[in-house]
Amino acid sequence: RTATCGIDGHRHQQEACSVSQTSTNEVFRKIATATITTILLKKGLRNVWLRGPMPMEDGMERIVGRAFTLRFVSAREDLATPESWSSPNSTRGAIEAMPDGCIAVVDAMSVDDAGIFGDILCARMVKKGVAALVTDGVVSDLAGVRGTGLPVWCAGVAAPPSVAGLTFVGWQEPIACGGVAVFPDDLIVADDDGAVVIPAALVDEVRDACVEQEELEAWIMTEVDRGVALPGLYPPNAETRERYEKSRGR
């Protein structure tokens, strides 16, 4: 009986964590990456915007998910071969380890002449429930990748395969994507302005601060529409803060 209760308790705890994560993701889907970078800057984190990854399509929805990291290094001819694709330590193996809802974040060293993924790998990622691909590298077979429906943030397109310029070395380890340190399970938010990383330990406090910032900026926009001048309004001085708090009924 005790063991059963323990299992049930663990299951309920997992369900609660899942609900909490879902709620957090829903909140961040409404928050612009520009707001997130501002909040992180206030907390002393300057290097959080990944250089290179941009949405492959116009008008893509904002994507939120935990980072599943993959890492490439420079090509070495004895390792970067088509035969390496059959190795257990390959992008194929990494894709099979991806959990539902994750965002695959790939450190491709900003190499722009070797496509790290094509249509078949992206199609499998869709079947696995992967939320998106974010990389400082490029993809190949653009039409095919588009056809899979996988949301992609990348630095462009190239026909040659990954082994033409890169060697895949592993997954779920710290990486440097677009010059930014990304650790497994950090939170990734990507939209029209690119992709940002929120350290896992800061997710809750950044979420709460972002919600407050978005509410404040929405109120400031109404003041701008009324013709209020920017000095003292944005950023708000003490008097503006007081007016804002009163408008919120505080």
Side-chain angles (χ1 to χ4, degrees):
R1 290 171 63 89
T2 302
T4 301
C5 289
I7 292 171
D8 286 346
H10 181 63
R11 176 172 57 83
H12 291 318
Q13 184 180 31
Q14 285 183 318
E15 290 174 351
C17 289
S18 177
V19 170
S20 176
Q21 183 59 59
T22 300
S23 176
T24 293
N25 286 2
E26 288 301 321
V27 171
F28 275 113
R29 284 192 185 97
K30 301 173 183 177
I31 297 173
T33 52
T35 298
I36 296 170
T37 56
T38 298
I39 294 300
L40 288 169
L41 180 62
K42 290 179 179 179
K43 295 183 179 298
L45 281 77
R46 297 176 178 274
N47 192 33
V48 295
W49 181 75
L50 281 60
R51 301 163 187 82
M54 293 301 292
M56 194 171 67
E57 305 282 352
D58 291 333
M60 289 171 59
E61 293 183 359
R62 185 172 295 115
I63 296 293
V64 182
R66 295 286 177 168
F68 184 98
T69 62
L70 300 88
R71 186 166 69 95
F72 286 86
V73 297
S74 298
R76 206 178 81 177
E77 286 75 8
D78 61 326
L79 298 176
T81 65
E83 289 74 23
S84 69
W85 294 332
S86 299
S87 166
N89 187 38
S90 65
T91 51
R92 282 73 171 161
I95 289 171
E96 295 308 313
M98 293 178 182
D100 180 69
C102 76
I103 292 181
V105 185
V106 187
D107 173 7
M109 302 178 60
S110 298
V111 170
D112 61 5
D113 59 358
I116 59 166
F117 288 141
D119 57 345
I120 293 176
L121 272 63
C122 288
R124 179 57 182 159
M125 290 166 69
V126 171
K127 288 294 185 182
K128 291 282 294 180
V130 174
L133 166 64
V134 173
T135 180
D136 58 1
V138 298
V139 297
S140 58
D141 190 5
L142 177 60
V145 171
R146 282 175 171 161
T148 68
L150 180 70
V152 175
W153 276 254
C154 65
V157 180
S162 61
V163 293
L166 294 162
T167 300
F168 182 71
V169 292
W171 64 88
Q172 285 299 74
E173 59 188 42
I175 61 171
C177 183
V180 177
V182 181
F183 287 73
D185 295 325
D186 282 345
L187 193 71
I188 303 296
V189 183
D191 61 15
D192 287 342
D193 288 350
V196 299
V197 57
I198 305 171
L202 299 179
V203 167
D204 289 348
E205 61 180 282
V206 170
R207 176 199 61 209
D208 295 344
C210 282
V211 169
E212 174 63 27
Q213 183 71 20
E214 291 269 285
E215 291 176 354
L216 171 62
E217 292 189 0
W219 178 83
I220 289 173
M221 280 297 294
T222 66
E223 295 295 281
V224 171
D225 288 342
R226 290 198 311 114
V228 177
L230 291 178
L233 176 65
Y234 186 64
N237 59 18
E239 186 219 345
T240 299
R241 278 280 180 185
E242 184 178 354
R243 288 196 296 114
Y244 169 67
E245 294 297 336
K246 285 182 179 179
S247 76
R248 303 291 296 171
R250 296 171 183 169

